[in-house]
Amino acid sequence: MMLGKIVFLLVLAFAITCQHQQVAGAGNCTKEQKEKIMKECWGYISKRHPGVPETWSICCQKVKKVRNSDMDCIVDLLDDRKKRLYGKRIQDLKLFCAPPRPYNNQVNNINCLNATFQLQLMCKS
């Protein structure tokens, strides 16, 4: 009986001291990741300095470290005031930090330019 109480108290003490990284939702983000994104992306999410981060920026590096770049998870960790002020901009970071994908016409234009260049080289020979 006494051993059970000791084990219970040890487990309780362990649980209390190991709460430094709370995982939210489906476990896609941590409070630490939220803090890093708020710090590194502040220039992009604040209304005073709006803008779009470069995909290679430190901000985007932090966004990509969150599993699936789940910015909804980050927003869920904010208090209500910060959700209202910054939630949409934080959610947009997933799109801003995604690598650009070429459109079909861009690929076709590149192929066309390459073919034109090759024809010019052949004609000069």
Side-chain angles (χ1 to χ4, degrees), residues 63-107:
V63 168
K64 291 172 187 172
K65 287 193 177 193
V66 175
R67 188 174 2 150
N68 299 323
S69 297
D70 186 357
M71 294 299 101
D72 290 332
C73 181
I74 297 295
V75 172
D76 288 343
L77 294 176
L78 298 174
D79 62 44
D80 289 338
R81 181 179 167 273
K82 288 183 180 178
K83 281 181 187 178
R84 281 192 316 274
L85 291 173
Y86 312 119
K88 174 69 173 119
R89 291 173 191 246
I90 291 171
Q91 289 169 330
D92 289 344
L93 288 172
K94 180 174 184 171
L95 298 174
F96 294 149
C97 293
R101 289 185 272 163
Y103 295 101
N104 286 338
N105 62 343
Q106 288 176 325
V107 173

Side-chain angles (χ1 to χ4, degrees), residues 38-79:
M38 292 299 291
K39 178 183 176 195
E40 298 299 339
C41 301
W42 181 249
Y44 309 112
I45 62 174
S46 71
K47 292 188 179 191
R48 292 182 184 177
H49 309 293
V52 177
E54 298 290 340
T55 56
W56 46 263
S57 67
I58 294 174
C59 171
C60 285
Q61 290 174 20
K62 299 303 179 190
V63 168
K64 291 172 187 172
K65 287 193 177 193
V66 175
R67 188 174 2 150
N68 299 323
S69 297
D70 186 357
M71 294 299 101
D72 290 332
C73 181
I74 297 295
V75 172
D76 288 343
L77 294 176
L78 298 174
D79 62 44

